[in-house]
Amino acid sequence: MTGTTGTSGTDRACERFRSVRSRTEALAAPLGPEDQVVQSMPDCSPTKWHRAHTTWFFEEFVLGPHAGAAPYDPAFRFLFNSYYEAVGPRQPRPRRGMITRPTVDEVAAYRRAVDEGVEALLDKGDPPPEVVDLVELGCHHEEQHQELLLMDAKHLLAQNPLRPAYAAPADAPEGAVAAGDAGAAPVDWVKHPGGIVEVGHGGEGFAYDNEGPRHETLLQPFSLADRLVTEGEWAAFVDDGGYHRPDLWLSDGWYAVQDGGWEAPLYWERADTGPSGWSVFTLGGLRPLSPSAPVRHISYYEADAFARWAGCRLPTEHEWEAVSPDRSAGAGAAWEWTGSAYLPYPGFRPAAGAVGEYNGKFMSGQHVLRGASCATPPGHSRPTYRNFFPPGARWAFSGLRLAS
Amino acid sequence: MTGTTGTSGTDRACERFRSVRSRTEALAAPLGPEDQVVQSMPDCSPTKWHRAHTTWFFEEFVLGPHAGAAPYDPAFRFLFNSYYEAVGPRQPRPRRGMITRPTVDEVAAYRRAVDEGVEALLDKGDPPPEVVDLVELGCHHEEQHQELLLMDAKHLLAQNPLRPAYAAPADAPEGAVAAGDAGAAPVDWVKHPGGIVEVGHGGEGFAYDNEGPRHETLLQPFSLADRLVTEGEWAAFVDDGGYHRPDLWLSDGWYAVQDGGWEAPLYWERADTGPSGWSVFTLGGLRPLSPSAPVRHISYYEADAFARWAGCRLPTEHEWEAVSPDRSAGAGAAWEWTGSAYLPYPGFRPAAGAVGEYNGKFMSGQHVLRGASCATPPGHSRPTYRNFFPPGARWAFSGLRLAS
Amino acid sequence: MTGTTGTSGTDRACERFRSVRSRTEALAAPLGPEDQVVQSMPDCSPTKWHRAHTTWFFEEFVLGPHAGAAPYDPAFRFLFNSYYEAVGPRQPRPRRGMITRPTVDEVAAYRRAVDEGVEALLDKGDPPPEVVDLVELGCHHEEQHQELLLMDAKHLLAQNPLRPAYAAPADAPEGAVAAGDAGAAPVDWVKHPGGIVEVGHGGEGFAYDNEGPRHETLLQPFSLADRLVTEGEWAAFVDDGGYHRPDLWLSDGWYAVQDGGWEAPLYWERADTGPSGWSVFTLGGLRPLSPSAPVRHISYYEADAFARWAGCRLPTEHEWEAVSPDRSAGAGAAWEWTGSAYLPYPGFRPAAGAVGEYNGKFMSGQHVLRGASCATPPGHSRPTYRNFFPPGARWAFSGLRLAS
Amino acid sequence: MTGTTGTSGTDRACERFRSVRSRTEALAAPLGPEDQVVQSMPDCSPTKWHRAHTTWFFEEFVLGPHAGAAPYDPAFRFLFNSYYEAVGPRQPRPRRGMITRPTVDEVAAYRRAVDEGVEALLDKGDPPPEVVDLVELGCHHEEQHQELLLMDAKHLLAQNPLRPAYAAPADAPEGAVAAGDAGAAPVDWVKHPGGIVEVGHGGEGFAYDNEGPRHETLLQPFSLADRLVTEGEWAAFVDDGGYHRPDLWLSDGWYAVQDGGWEAPLYWERADTGPSGWSVFTLGGLRPLSPSAPVRHISYYEADAFARWAGCRLPTEHEWEAVSPDRSAGAGAAWEWTGSAYLPYPGFRPAAGAVGEYNGKFMSGQHVLRGASCATPPGHSRPTYRNFFPPGARWAFSGLRLAS
């Protein structure tokens, strides 16, 4: 949350706000009221909750303190707070799916009311910079929830034996499969000489607090693959007994394999037909395995085991940042697990107040992912961006790139 | 499921079918799509599921075998089977709430299609008696689900911190509270001399298989209270430390008290205002404790502990049946826990085929409740009717009547 | 615990006390300190705990109130109370195995000290009848724990991959296997005409409170097998897919089969050698399946499913009592599951004070077993004796006899 | 496990072997057979198991491959393997406490037999260097288990309401409390200028594989406290509501506080007497809080929250190593949590074969601790030593030192 919109101007802020807010509504549109209210596991949230919580964020941190607005509904403060202890008690996370009311329509009305409030505040000529910054933070926050909305909707639809699609294959985030896919070209390795490099966010433009301070770090020489691991390569790992060889796995990972009965990435299903023997569930429905598509929905444990099987390793987050793979070259299809634990940078200070809970308090037990995924809003990510998930999580659009 | 509709005639069967089916739709009407899809605990089912499952019952047992009808949707056989092993695999009970599609509207269309099929079959002049009997069974089955629909909707709404009402108090099954309620009149005791009595269903008219065979049993002399225990009496039990005295409780019951943190019946909440200090959540919303209202939503363990506290005991199911309390005298407000385990009668034989799984396979670990509740469809129950729940269940409309 | 030893005389009481107490020590003797301290599951208790708890019973109910004795060690009141809420808080049952001290030797010393106290009290010429009665109750209590000690030791030893034996086969409670066992003779059926019979304990001699009051009950005509179901017959049930056919099982039983991965009775193991393909673990170690031996270590669910498979049913406890199978004819090899829930008899009143917790508070969720087992102390059981376990319990020496 | 004993000579190896082996036996001596067999939680192992497993290590990795010895008992390979997948299946960790046989005496005999075998091998004039290295590794392995033995024994004794002591206070690892303890002197800060430093093991002498390769890293300037946080300081944290302020805690830590009901470090108990209001359980029994003693038995979450409360932070493992606090100045009383996740060093390669599972496969989800504790064998640790535990673990002798 460091950074400021600087001279960006109110108009641009307002336009950006409107654009982000309407993108959320567009993402929710293919989902009916039934789809929007169910919570498929404690880590997931209903679509309706995402729509309301992102709205609550603007109400709590912008309209309340800076517009003196009375709450839209006092109960929403409890219902739609996510994890801000400083704000007060809240609906327990695993029970977000119990809240069938307010209805989807009532949440839409809530969104419109808060939109009007924020727009009025921004239109009031020269809003204070902290308001502009908080609106900017709220927009980035909402963009994160846009990706979560897709992750969670995919997880929910996958629980249904009918395997319903969220969108037509061509319109789904994962995209349609190319016909006659013969697999990806061999990996080229980008070499880096090591040495002292600067990492972390330090310049203009928005960044989260966890991306700073910018600081020097010392790298050993290394090489980084020029593309992500593919579904075809992953199928070879499966065929080689990858999920049945404890020597390839971290101890906790091997336990996760046993406990979860893992045999393949999440959303892979054995298929009777097709050359690969696998179907992959996407937001566009079930499709055959696509040899050249980047593999998605793997845990850190799986990424680590695959890398060991391939005689490689995962890059550290700073190796990744030093190379900053070019998004035009296929990066951005899946978040990339790194070998780095999610920990504070030297000199890290969380933002003051409740928004200080945004990132810092999650700095244990997780690993950093870099890049972006097919479900990440365009422009949302940065080379210094630090995404993070627990090592066993699989419902994110997560893949891997090899290092050595 | 023994019994037959005898000479009842097709017209009456068809009228009854229509009436039962439309009553389900009327009960679901106050609930929006969001309310109809969420499952609040593994014992509960979504409203939408109840609407679909009762329809599946007619399709599976009537239309399939007797009208040669192709399935409306082959997937529904899996999605909406409840527990019939003989029919095949099914959506696991605790995951009924994951099925956001088919939507509520699609389920309504499914109902209409099956209605047309059944009505056509019944209209076809002289349908075979087994069809008439199966339709009758399906109607009774659906009436049971009407009560479950209300139980489950109440449980779901109670999870919402907003405590939304299903209906206006006067229209809710529990009814509105009388102003100035001074509590119930003292109990009168109905004395029974004991001796050999006949119990169980044996005559004309519909009954479930578990109500027979009719047989003789030997009773000791006993007395039965002429009314149910009230909320006011229960509050006295609470005030006397009833939930904190292990000597009053069965061992399993005491464990349930500790484990569940029970301090009062389900749906009772401490209230800052009002003479009783309690609010009670009903399908009409939160209302103050009503001293003369029959207590509801207690487990067998609680009923047993209350009876011990009162120096009485619970009646056995056959004591209850020998007296058959008059519904006009307040019976029918809540199912009445009996001290009898739910076990087969001497000579019990379940019906042949899949419908034989209806009752018999649940004959362990449960207690019999007699009577009917405010949520039971009118005319659904009988003096020989055996309802049953596990001893820790509280979400049914269950109360108690004392014996000694 | 009703009944009194009447004019039995102090000498006999003292002799009986000594005999029971020394039998416990003899049963513990084959077990080393390591074997005596470990708790293999929450339902089981360490041998050392049984030895101490039975001693505590005499101290708490006899020496404390009737000899004015100071406690041997005040901490033991907490450590060795089992479930008597009226006595006070206690070591949680699932954590009895955490108590490595007092040591086995210290518990032996505790036993000797309490023995001396009780014997001194009995020797004091004309002890009050309530003392004599309580000592008698304590002896029966200890005999129950003698059987539990063997059940629990067997369960513990079975957890060890080495499958160590408690005793030589010929000395083990289950006895050695006859060579060339060709299976049991066909069942003969004992017919009973039904009618009003008297059941329950009413006469002279000791009985637990749950065996009374004696009262009349009405039976339908029935037949009872003249012997228990055998291991050979059970193997036929297994071979016929008994554990894979849901139509044979109660719903809760079928869940237990799935959840527990049951494929055979507890302590049966697939064996590579031998005609039956099964080994059976006994206190005498692993032995081949013995076709004529009564099957043991089955749950109520399994007994019920077997009976259904055999076209029969389980007897009720009063049918069993009306016939009272002759112990000389093979009865007494295993407790016999009945179809009766464990509930109070009409007019049941638990004993006053803490010993009233002995039986009554367990009257929910269990089934009655009748007879006795190979691990029951000689003379301990009676035709009116009501043993009870939850329907899923398998570690008791439990078998079945068919009725129809 | 890199490194070699070099020219150390067989005599010295044999002497070292004997000394380590007999120290284990001395540590076990105060524990009776009952104490040695019980497992108090899945993370702990029985004393007997530690004694047997360390012996198995020598048998499996030294005697088997290098002396061609037949196994002492083939079953021990299963019973006493800890986590070496490459060796084969093993007794599940949470069930190590079920193995009451072999008895404590039989394990002692096993130890003697393997001791003879190893000594014979070492005595045979010029044993191959890999044997000497493996014996050295086995000695270090056994020293780790000596500390675990004390950790696990302490945890077990603490479950006993009698709170029995392992040894007299003066002989217990934590030592006796000084009378009139007025608390520790104020902290002095050791300043470090930052810059490139070398870390990791690289020279002569034994080290585990996870301590290398030695490599350069870049530090920012920092300060490190010259002593550990004390019990007195921790009591101030508790008094200031430290366990009730979510703003001080990582999110996972706050969950652990709620879930575990944490109010103080493990083994602290509220005491009615004494100025501090706390008793602390040690291997010497319960003693009053000692203001100047280093706090022990805290989780990473607690260390992190305390540091935040104190306006400081935890050091990284390489900051710690760059300063290498002097053991004579109080270091070595407790392992010191660092802010570093336990991850491989650049270029890390685990040892070949089964011993490669020693360290590497645990490199996820844990934090590094540096230093040594009062329970660490003298000479066992090094400045490059990397101990590790999950962030919620509290049963280790773990404390903290502040950085800023």
Side-chain angles (χ1 to χ4, degrees):
Chain A
M1 274 114 25
T2 63
T4 160
T5 54
T7 59
S8 63
T10 307
D11 284 359
R12 224 175 64 198
C14 205
E15 190 181 333
R16 162 123 169 98
F17 175 77
R18 276 196 197 99
S19 154
V20 168
R21 295 287 285 170
S22 64
R23 189 173 185 274
T24 301
E25 297 300 84
L27 290 173
L31 300 165
E34 294 92 339
D35 299 325
Q36 291 201 28
V37 70
V38 170
Q39 179 173 30
S40 60
M41 68 163 171
D43 285 336
C44 291
S45 298
T47 298
K48 191 184 78 175
W49 189 91
H50 286 299
R51 293 171 68 194
H53 164 69
T54 48
T55 307
W56 165 90
F57 191 94
F58 286 107
E59 200 186 13
E60 182 69 36
F61 296 120
V62 178
L63 292 191
H66 298 287
Y72 180 83
D73 184 325
F76 288 10
R77 232 194 159 190
F78 177 89
L79 291 180
F80 300 126
N81 179 3
S82 53
Y83 55 66
Y84 295 86
E85 299 276 354
V87 172
R90 72 217 75 97
Q91 177 73 358
R93 180 176 188 129
R95 301 185 65 72
R96 289 176 184 165
M98 293 295 113
I99 307 304
T100 60
R101 307 185 193 180
T103 64
V104 165
D105 284 348
E106 287 162 351
V107 164
Y110 174 43
R111 287 184 67 89
R112 287 191 300 269
V114 169
D115 282 355
E116 283 170 24
V118 172
E119 290 171 19
L121 193 64
L122 291 175
D123 278 350
K124 237 197 284 178
D126 244 357
E130 67 264 31
V131 166
V132 177
D133 283 356
L134 281 166
V135 170
E136 180 67 16
L137 176 62
C139 288
H140 285 273
H141 172 257
E142 183 143 349
E143 287 179 329
Q144 290 185 304
H145 278 276
Q146 289 171 357
E147 178 153 2
L148 288 167
L149 185 157
L150 291 170
M151 285 162 57
D152 296 355
K154 183 171 182 175
H155 190 265
L156 171 62
L157 296 172
Q159 308 310 306
N160 193 323
L162 306 177
R163 302 283 184 273
Y166 163 82
D171 299 331
E174 298 96 335
V177 169
D181 178 356
V187 164
D188 257 356
W189 295 92
V190 183
K191 295 211 164 89
H192 190 285
I196 292 182
V197 298
E198 285 215 338
V199 292
H201 192 267
E204 292 287 302
F206 177 86
Y208 289 114
D209 56 2
N210 65 2
E211 298 173 51
R214 187 162 178 83
H215 65 285
E216 293 187 328
T217 192
L218 178 60
L219 300 181
Q220 315 291 322
F222 68 96
S223 300
L224 194 65
D226 70 337
R227 64 162 174 79
L228 276 66
V229 169
T230 63
E231 290 185 3
E233 290 164 334
W234 201 274
F237 169 68
V238 174
D239 289 347
D240 195 37
Y243 285 88
H244 296 276
R245 286 178 46 191
D247 59 303
L248 296 174
W249 295 80
L250 289 165
S251 180
D252 287 349
W254 186 239
Y255 178 81
V257 167
Q258 311 294 305
D259 191 51
W262 293 354
E263 297 275 351
L266 186 62
Y267 304 135
W268 284 34
E269 304 178 18
R270 294 277 179 195
D272 294 338
T273 59
S276 74
W278 291 104
S279 289
V280 178
F281 180 71
T282 71
L283 284 164
L286 272 180
R287 63 151 170 81
L289 181 140
S290 169
S292 71
V295 70
R296 296 183 182 97
H297 300 296
I298 52 164
S299 62
Y300 173 78
Y301 298 132
E302 287 163 290
D304 173 83
F306 181 94
R308 191 167 293 114
W309 173 76
C312 298
R313 62 173 175 84
L314 299 177
T316 67
E317 62 169 322
H318 293 151
E319 288 172 343
W320 191 98
E321 188 172 332
V323 172
S324 283
D326 183 1
R327 198 149 173 180
S328 65
W335 290 98
E336 304 175 25
W337 283 109
T338 74
S340 301
Y342 177 52
L343 291 171
Y345 281 172
F348 167 71
R349 288 269 171 270
V355 292
E357 298 184 47
Y358 201 108
N359 281 307
K361 74 179 182 183
F362 300 107
M363 289 176 173
S364 73
Q366 313 214 37
H367 269 260
V368 173
L369 300 97
R370 291 299 189 106
S373 88
C374 58
T376 311
H380 176 71
S381 191
R382 288 167 294 283
T384 60
Y385 197 99
R386 306 175 80 199
N387 198 354
F388 49 90
F389 280 102
R394 311 172 92 201
W395 94 109
F397 292 86
S398 48
L400 81 159
R401 178 190 302 272
L402 296 174
S404 67
Chain B
M1 274 111 26
T2 63
T4 161
T5 53
T7 60
S8 62
T10 309
D11 285 0
R12 223 174 65 199
C14 204
E15 190 182 332
R16 162 119 168 102
F17 174 76
R18 277 196 197 97
S19 153
V20 168
R21 295 285 286 170
S22 65
R23 189 173 186 273
T24 300
E25 297 301 84
L27 289 174
L31 301 165
E34 296 92 340
D35 299 325
Q36 292 201 29
V37 71
V38 170
Q39 179 172 31
S40 60
M41 67 163 171
D43 284 336
C44 291
S45 298
T47 298
K48 191 184 75 174
W49 189 91
H50 285 299
R51 293 171 68 195
H53 164 69
T54 48
T55 307
W56 165 90
F57 191 94
F58 286 107
E59 201 187 13
E60 182 69 37
F61 296 121
V62 178
L63 293 190
H66 298 286
Y72 180 82
D73 184 324
F76 289 10
R77 231 192 160 190
F78 177 89
L79 292 179
F80 300 126
N81 179 3
S82 53
Y83 53 66
Y84 295 86
E85 300 276 354
V87 171
R90 72 217 74 97
Q91 177 74 357
R93 180 175 188 133
R95 301 185 65 72
R96 289 177 185 165
M98 293 295 112
I99 306 305
T100 61
R101 308 186 194 179
T103 64
V104 165
D105 284 348
E106 287 162 350
V107 164
Y110 174 42
R111 288 184 66 89
R112 287 191 301 269
V114 169
D115 284 354
E116 284 168 25
V118 173
E119 290 171 19
L121 193 63
L122 292 175
D123 279 350
K124 235 196 283 178
D126 245 355
E130 66 263 31
V131 166
V132 178
D133 282 357
L134 281 166
V135 171
E136 180 67 16
L137 176 63
C139 287
H140 285 272
H141 172 257
E142 183 144 349
E143 286 179 331
Q144 289 185 305
H145 277 277
Q146 289 172 357
E147 179 153 3
L148 288 167
L149 185 158
L150 291 170
M151 286 162 57
D152 295 354
K154 182 171 183 175
H155 191 265
L156 171 62
L157 295 171
Q159 308 310 306
N160 193 323
L162 306 176
R163 302 283 184 274
Y166 164 81
D171 299 331
E174 298 96 334
V177 168
D181 177 357
V187 163
D188 257 357
W189 294 92
V190 183
K191 296 208 163 90
H192 189 285
I196 292 183
V197 298
E198 284 214 339
V199 292
H201 192 267
E204 293 286 303
F206 177 86
Y208 288 113
D209 56 2
N210 65 3
E211 299 174 51
R214 187 161 178 84
H215 65 285
E216 294 188 327
T217 191
L218 177 61
L219 301 180
Q220 316 290 323
F222 68 96
S223 300
L224 194 65
D226 70 335
R227 64 163 174 78
L228 276 66
V229 169
T230 64
E231 290 185 3
E233 289 163 336
W234 201 275
F237 170 67
V238 174
D239 290 346
D240 195 38
Y243 284 88
H244 296 277
R245 287 176 47 190
D247 58 302
L248 297 175
W249 294 79
L250 289 166
S251 179
D252 287 349
W254 186 239
Y255 177 82
V257 166
Q258 311 293 306
D259 191 50
W262 293 353
E263 299 275 350
L266 186 63
Y267 304 135
W268 285 35
E269 303 178 17
R270 295 276 179 197
D272 295 338
T273 58
S276 75
W278 290 105
S279 290
V280 178
F281 180 70
T282 71
L283 284 164
L286 271 180
R287 63 151 170 82
L289 180 140
S290 169
S292 71
V295 70
R296 294 184 184 96
H297 300 295
I298 52 164
S299 63
Y300 173 79
Y301 298 132
E302 288 163 290
D304 174 83
F306 181 95
R308 192 167 291 115
W309 174 76
C312 298
R313 62 174 175 83
L314 299 177
T316 66
E317 61 169 322
H318 293 151
E319 288 171 344
W320 191 97
E321 187 172 332
V323 172
S324 283
D326 183 1
R327 198 150 172 179
S328 65
W335 289 99
E336 306 176 24
W337 283 109
T338 73
S340 300
Y342 177 52
L343 291 171
Y345 282 173
F348 167 72
R349 286 272 171 268
V355 292
E357 299 185 48
Y358 201 108
N359 282 305
K361 74 180 182 182
F362 300 108
M363 289 177 172
S364 74
Q366 314 215 37
H367 269 260
V368 172
L369 300 97
R370 291 297 189 108
S373 88
C374 59
T376 311
H380 175 72
S381 191
R382 288 168 293 284
T384 59
Y385 197 99
R386 307 175 79 199
N387 199 353
F388 50 90
F389 280 102
R394 311 171 92 201
W395 94 109
F397 291 88
S398 49
L400 81 158
R401 177 191 303 271
L402 296 175
S404 69
Chain C
M1 275 111 26
T2 63
T4 160
T5 53
T7 59
S8 63
T10 309
D11 285 359
R12 224 173 67 196
C14 204
E15 189 181 333
R16 162 122 167 99
F17 174 76
R18 276 196 197 99
S19 153
V20 169
R21 295 286 286 171
S22 64
R23 189 174 185 274
T24 301
E25 296 301 84
L27 289 173
L31 300 165
E34 295 91 341
D35 300 324
Q36 292 202 28
V37 72
V38 170
Q39 179 172 31
S40 59
M41 67 164 171
D43 284 336
C44 290
S45 298
T47 299
K48 192 184 77 176
W49 188 92
H50 286 299
R51 293 171 67 195
H53 164 68
T54 49
T55 306
W56 166 89
F57 191 95
F58 286 107
E59 201 187 11
E60 183 69 37
F61 296 120
V62 178
L63 292 191
H66 298 286
Y72 180 82
D73 184 324
F76 289 11
R77 230 189 160 193
F78 177 89
L79 292 179
F80 299 125
N81 179 3
S82 53
Y83 54 66
Y84 295 86
E85 299 276 355
V87 172
R90 71 217 75 96
Q91 177 74 357
R93 180 176 187 130
R95 300 186 65 72
R96 289 177 184 165
M98 293 294 112
I99 306 304
T100 61
R101 306 186 193 179
T103 63
V104 164
D105 285 346
E106 287 163 351
V107 165
Y110 173 44
R111 287 183 68 89
R112 287 190 301 268
V114 169
D115 282 355
E116 283 169 25
V118 173
E119 290 172 19
L121 192 64
L122 292 176
D123 278 348
K124 234 195 284 177
D126 246 356
E130 67 263 31
V131 166
V132 177
D133 282 356
L134 281 165
V135 170
E136 180 67 17
L137 176 62
C139 288
H140 285 272
H141 172 257
E142 183 143 349
E143 286 178 330
Q144 290 185 305
H145 278 276
Q146 288 171 358
E147 179 154 2
L148 289 167
L149 185 158
L150 290 170
M151 285 162 57
D152 296 355
K154 183 172 182 175
H155 191 266
L156 171 63
L157 296 172
Q159 308 310 307
N160 194 323
L162 306 177
R163 301 284 184 273
Y166 164 81
D171 300 331
E174 297 96 336
V177 169
D181 177 357
V187 163
D188 256 356
W189 294 92
V190 182
K191 294 207 165 94
H192 189 285
I196 291 183
V197 297
E198 286 215 335
V199 292
H201 193 266
E204 293 286 301
F206 176 87
Y208 289 113
D209 56 2
N210 65 1
E211 298 174 51
R214 187 162 178 83
H215 65 286
E216 292 188 329
T217 192
L218 177 61
L219 301 181
Q220 315 290 324
F222 68 97
S223 299
L224 193 65
D226 70 336
R227 65 164 174 77
L228 276 66
V229 168
T230 63
E231 291 185 2
E233 289 163 335
W234 201 275
F237 170 68
V238 174
D239 289 347
D240 195 38
Y243 285 88
H244 297 275
R245 287 177 47 190
D247 58 303
L248 297 174
W249 294 79
L250 289 165
S251 180
D252 287 348
W254 185 240
Y255 177 82
V257 166
Q258 311 294 305
D259 191 50
W262 293 352
E263 297 275 351
L266 186 62
Y267 303 136
W268 285 34
E269 304 179 16
R270 296 276 179 196
D272 295 338
T273 58
S276 75
W278 290 104
S279 290
V280 178
F281 180 69
T282 71
L283 285 164
L286 272 180
R287 64 152 169 80
L289 180 141
S290 170
S292 71
V295 70
R296 296 184 183 96
H297 300 295
I298 52 164
S299 63
Y300 173 77
Y301 298 131
E302 288 163 291
D304 173 82
F306 181 95
R308 192 167 292 113
W309 173 77
C312 298
R313 61 172 176 85
L314 298 178
T316 68
E317 62 169 323
H318 293 151
E319 288 171 342
W320 191 97
E321 188 172 332
V323 172
S324 285
D326 183 1
R327 196 151 174 178
S328 64
W335 290 98
E336 305 175 26
W337 284 108
T338 74
S340 300
Y342 177 52
L343 291 171
Y345 281 172
F348 167 71
R349 286 269 172 271
V355 291
E357 299 184 48
Y358 200 108
N359 280 306
K361 74 179 182 183
F362 300 107
M363 288 176 173
S364 74
Q366 314 214 37
H367 269 261
V368 173
L369 301 97
R370 291 299 190 105
S373 88
C374 58
T376 311
H380 176 71
S381 191
R382 286 168 295 283
T384 60
Y385 196 99
R386 306 176 80 199
N387 199 354
F388 50 89
F389 280 101
R394 310 171 94 202
W395 95 109
F397 292 87
S398 48
L400 81 158
R401 178 192 302 271
L402 296 173
S404 68
Chain D
M1 273 115 25
T2 63
T4 160
T5 53
T7 60
S8 63
T10 309
D11 285 359
R12 223 172 68 197
C14 204
E15 188 182 334
R16 163 121 168 99
F17 175 76
R18 278 196 197 99
S19 154
V20 168
R21 296 285 286 170
S22 64
R23 188 173 185 275
T24 301
E25 296 302 83
L27 290 173
L31 300 166
E34 295 92 340
D35 300 324
Q36 292 201 27
V37 72
V38 171
Q39 179 172 30
S40 59
M41 66 165 172
D43 285 337
C44 290
S45 297
T47 299
K48 190 184 78 175
W49 188 90
H50 286 300
R51 294 171 67 194
H53 164 69
T54 48
T55 306
W56 165 89
F57 191 94
F58 286 107
E59 200 186 13
E60 182 70 35
F61 296 121
V62 178
L63 292 191
H66 297 286
Y72 181 81
D73 184 325
F76 289 10
R77 231 191 159 193
F78 178 89
L79 292 179
F80 300 126
N81 179 4
S82 53
Y83 54 66
Y84 295 85
E85 300 275 355
V87 171
R90 70 217 75 98
Q91 177 73 358
R93 181 177 186 128
R95 300 185 65 72
R96 288 178 185 165
M98 293 295 113
I99 306 304
T100 60
R101 308 186 192 179
T103 64
V104 165
D105 284 347
E106 287 163 351
V107 164
Y110 174 43
R111 286 184 67 89
R112 287 191 300 268
V114 169
D115 283 355
E116 282 169 26
V118 172
E119 289 171 21
L121 193 63
L122 292 176
D123 279 349
K124 235 196 283 176
D126 245 355
E130 66 264 31
V131 166
V132 177
D133 283 356
L134 282 166
V135 170
E136 181 67 17
L137 176 62
C139 288
H140 285 272
H141 172 258
E142 182 144 351
E143 286 179 330
Q144 289 185 305
H145 279 276
Q146 288 171 358
E147 179 154 2
L148 288 167
L149 184 158
L150 290 170
M151 286 162 56
D152 295 356
K154 183 171 182 175
H155 190 266
L156 171 63
L157 295 171
Q159 308 311 307
N160 193 323
L162 305 177
R163 301 282 183 275
Y166 164 82
D171 299 332
E174 297 97 335
V177 169
D181 177 357
V187 164
D188 256 356
W189 296 92
V190 182
K191 296 207 165 92
H192 190 284
I196 292 182
V197 298
E198 285 215 338
V199 293
H201 193 267
E204 293 286 302
F206 177 87
Y208 289 113
D209 56 2
N210 65 1
E211 298 173 51
R214 187 163 178 83
H215 65 285
E216 293 189 329
T217 193
L218 178 59
L219 300 181
Q220 315 290 324
F222 68 96
S223 299
L224 193 65
D226 70 335
R227 64 164 175 78
L228 277 65
V229 169
T230 64
E231 290 185 3
E233 289 163 334
W234 201 275
F237 170 68
V238 174
D239 290 347
D240 196 39
Y243 285 89
H244 296 275
R245 288 177 46 191
D247 58 303
L248 297 175
W249 294 79
L250 290 165
S251 180
D252 287 349
W254 185 239
Y255 178 82
V257 166
Q258 311 294 304
D259 191 52
W262 293 354
E263 297 276 352
L266 186 63
Y267 303 136
W268 286 34
E269 303 178 18
R270 295 276 180 197
D272 295 338
T273 59
S276 74
W278 290 105
S279 290
V280 178
F281 180 69
T282 71
L283 284 164
L286 272 179
R287 63 149 170 83
L289 180 140
S290 169
S292 71
V295 70
R296 294 183 184 96
H297 300 295
I298 52 164
S299 63
Y300 173 78
Y301 298 132
E302 288 163 290
D304 173 83
F306 181 95
R308 192 168 291 113
W309 173 76
C312 298
R313 61 173 176 84
L314 299 177
T316 66
E317 62 168 321
H318 292 151
E319 288 171 343
W320 192 98
E321 188 172 332
V323 173
S324 284
D326 183 1
R327 196 150 173 180
S328 65
W335 289 99
E336 306 176 25
W337 283 108
T338 74
S340 300
Y342 177 53
L343 291 171
Y345 282 172
F348 168 71
R349 286 271 174 269
V355 293
E357 299 184 47
Y358 200 108
N359 281 305
K361 73 179 182 183
F362 301 106
M363 289 177 172
S364 74
Q366 314 214 36
H367 269 261
V368 173
L369 300 98
R370 290 298 189 106
S373 88
C374 59
T376 311
H380 176 71
S381 192
R382 289 166 294 283
T384 59
Y385 197 99
R386 306 176 80 199
N387 199 354
F388 50 90
F389 280 102
R394 311 171 91 203
W395 95 109
F397 291 87
S398 49
L400 81 158
R401 178 191 303 272
L402 296 174
S404 69

